[in-house]
């Protein structure tokens, strides 16, 4: 009876085009963005959708730090932070992150998802009668952290500060409030109105909580993020980030005042009751961050090649969604089944790996590819991608940007 229920659920997903199929990608050390498909070591594919934005997962400074740490400390951490899992590398990394974001202290978690989920749950349970205001496009980890509590929550339209102010104005000035939002939104590639949100928070006595996971390493002085680029990092109460994207490893963190960080460390069950990151991972994260603080080359290459790719796609009339103003280039397909079919053709016929992004990650009708160039992609890679996408669009009758314009006119 139960298996039948589960099978029906999966069948429904497959029929709608929303079923996720996982492609086994074995990245080749030292040759990023090249990878082998599982069992096919004789040919390589080019990865175009990794969150390893700067290629730091394979940078010598990162891999050397990890190998040295394994030789010294072994593979695992041994336990939770409270029970044997707080090693010296944890303290180094937290100090480095706090310095990066101009905050008093920081706290690291095994994943970025966990840092959002645990921190928001903790805050909403600790603060009596707290209400949280959340952007409608916030990440699933933020949504889950909020939904896991009984706190009042209000969802405001994406990046709509006028609506946000109306919602804030309805609440008593002394009621505890949190505004949670992202600096760069990963599916649309747009940037939040951070200054305006910060000003509203000050006006209506709210805490600001910003998720900078798709910005750190790549924007702002020393790669400290969009809020740092705007010169208002000090105005944000809580900065959340990840080590799984531009830093090239895994893990999440929050940075803020000493009092706030100590509260999360002391009360957040998602932090207290989980095994800590191993010394090798933390050492690699620390080395990557310290490198990115001092070196701009990877950032500059990323932005230069993003501009080259954006221009090449636009010249080929391949539709980049208008929301994009960052290194994230969402290419609209608009149909779940065609998106999956296009991904398969790109992989099998052209040696290009792009993961289809379908509902529920994005709304039905906005299915897309999420393309990210890196410093490691070459001009030949870019040319091959654009030619392959042009061929696949024609083969599957996917509209080009000029055709979309004619339909909307």
């Amino acid at each position: 009876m139960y298996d039948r229920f589960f099978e029906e659920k999966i069948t429904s997903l497959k029929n709608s085009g929303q079923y996720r199929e996982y492609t086994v990608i074995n990245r080749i050390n030292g040759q990023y963005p090249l990878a082998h498909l599982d069992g096919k070591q004789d040919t390589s594919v080019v990865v175009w959708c990794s969150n390893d934005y700067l290629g730091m997962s394979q940078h010598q400074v990162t891999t050397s730090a990890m190998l040295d740490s394994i030789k010294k400390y072994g593979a695992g951490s041994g336990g939770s932070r409270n029970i044997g899992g707080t090693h010296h590398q944890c303290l180094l990394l937290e100090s480095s992150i706090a310095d990066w974001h101009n905050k008093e202290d920081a706290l690291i978690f095994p994943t970025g998802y966990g840092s959002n989920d645990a921190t928001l749950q903790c805050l909403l349970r600790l603060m009596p009668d707290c209400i949280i205001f959340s952007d409608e496009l916030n990440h699933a980890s933020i949504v889950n952290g909020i939904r896991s509590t009984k706190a009042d929550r209000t969802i405001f339209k994406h990046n709509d500060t006028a609506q946000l102010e109306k919602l804030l104005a309805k609440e008593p000035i002394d009621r505890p409030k949190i505004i949670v939002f992202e600096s760069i939104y990963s599916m649309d590639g747009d940037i939040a109105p951070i200054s305006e949100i910060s000003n509203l928070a000050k006006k209506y006595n709210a805490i600001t909580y910003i998720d900078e996971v798709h910005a750190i390493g790549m924007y702002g002085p020393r790669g400290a993020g969009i809020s740092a680029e705007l010169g208002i990092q000090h105005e944000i109460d809580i900065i959340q980030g990840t080590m799984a994207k531009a830093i090239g490893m895994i893990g999440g963190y929050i940075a803020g005042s000493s009092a706030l960080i100590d509260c999360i460390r002391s009360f957040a069950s998602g932090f207290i009751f989980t095994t800590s990151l191993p010394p090798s991972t933390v050492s690699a994260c620390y080395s990557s961050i310290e490198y990115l603080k001092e070196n701009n080359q990877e950032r500059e290459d990323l932005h230069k090649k993003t501009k080259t790719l954006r221009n090449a796609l636009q010249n080929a009339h391949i539709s980049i969604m208008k929301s994009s103003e960052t290194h994230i280039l969402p290419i609209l397909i608009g149909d779940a089944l065609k998106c999956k079919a296009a991904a398969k053709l790109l992989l099998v016929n052209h040696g290009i790996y792009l993961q289809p992004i379908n509902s529920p990650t994005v709304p039905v009708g906005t299915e897309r590819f999420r393309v990210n160039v890196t410093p490691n992609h070459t001009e030949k890679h870019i040319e091959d991608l654009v030619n392959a996408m042009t061929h696949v669009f024609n083969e599957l009758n996917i509209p080009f940007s000029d055709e979309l314009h004619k339909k909307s006119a």
Side-chain angles (χ1 to χ4, degrees), residues 35-107:
H36 291 308
L37 296 179
D38 207 36
K40 296 182 179 180
Q41 304 301 311
D42 55 334
T43 58
S44 60
V45 299
V46 182
V47 178
W48 277 101
C49 54
S50 172
N51 285 334
D52 188 7
Y53 292 135
L54 298 177
M56 290 302 296
S57 69
Q58 298 191 11
H59 197 289
Q60 187 175 359
V61 72
T62 311
T63 56
S64 295
M66 175 171 268
L67 289 170
D68 290 344
S69 184
I70 289 175
K71 291 175 183 177
K72 289 180 182 179
Y73 307 110
S77 71
S80 66
R81 287 290 294 271
N82 187 49
I83 306 177
T86 296
H87 42 82
H88 182 58
Q89 284 68 30
C90 292
L91 305 184
L92 280 177
L93 179 56
E94 286 169 345
S95 176
S96 176
I97 291 169
D99 165 73
W100 208 18
H101 293 301
N102 194 27
K103 298 299 180 188
E104 293 177 350
D105 207 350
L107 193 67

Side-chain angles (χ1 to χ4, degrees), residues 113-148:
Y113 189 107
S115 56
N116 268 333
D117 186 48
T119 301
L120 288 167
Q121 284 194 48
C122 181
L123 288 172
L124 292 173
R125 287 170 177 160
L126 273 182
M127 300 168 68
D129 195 33
C130 184
I131 180 170
I132 190 162
F133 300 83
S134 178
D135 189 287
E136 66 178 343
L137 294 188
N138 276 339
H139 189 263
S141 57
I142 295 173
V143 174
N144 193 70
I146 295 170
R147 287 180 176 174
S148 298

Side-chain angles (χ1 to χ4, degrees), residues 279-386:
S280 56
T281 300
V282 178
S283 295
C285 291
Y286 172 79
S287 296
S288 180
I289 290 173
E290 288 298 301
Y291 174 85
L292 291 172
K293 285 179 181 178
E294 302 298 328
N295 294 275
N296 292 321
Q297 192 62 55
E298 283 77 12
R299 282 189 282 280
E300 291 173 359
D301 287 349
L302 171 72
H303 297 310
K304 179 181 178 181
K305 290 183 179 181
T306 296
K307 184 177 180 180
T308 299
L309 176 58
R310 185 185 291 274
N311 289 338
L313 290 168
Q314 289 174 337
N315 289 338
H317 303 287
I318 293 172
S319 181
I320 301 171
M321 295 177 66
K322 292 180 180 179
S323 57
S324 174
E325 51 185 323
T326 61
H327 62 286
I328 296 169
L329 304 179
I331 294 177
L332 183 65
I333 305 299
D335 180 280
L337 295 176
K338 282 189 176 182
C339 199
K340 293 185 73 172
K344 185 175 181 179
L345 287 175
L346 286 168
L347 185 64
V348 174
N349 295 347
H350 301 277
I352 288 170
Y353 174 61
L354 272 171
Q355 183 64 26
I357 308 295
N358 291 338
S359 173
T361 305
V362 295
V364 173
T366 68
E367 292 82 3
R368 68 197 68 174
F369 289 126
R370 179 182 173 276
V371 179
N372 305 308
V373 72
T374 73
N376 306 77
H377 286 90
T378 65
E379 289 187 8
K380 179 66 163 55
H381 289 148
I382 292 173
E383 181 182 350
D384 289 346
L385 173 68
V386 175

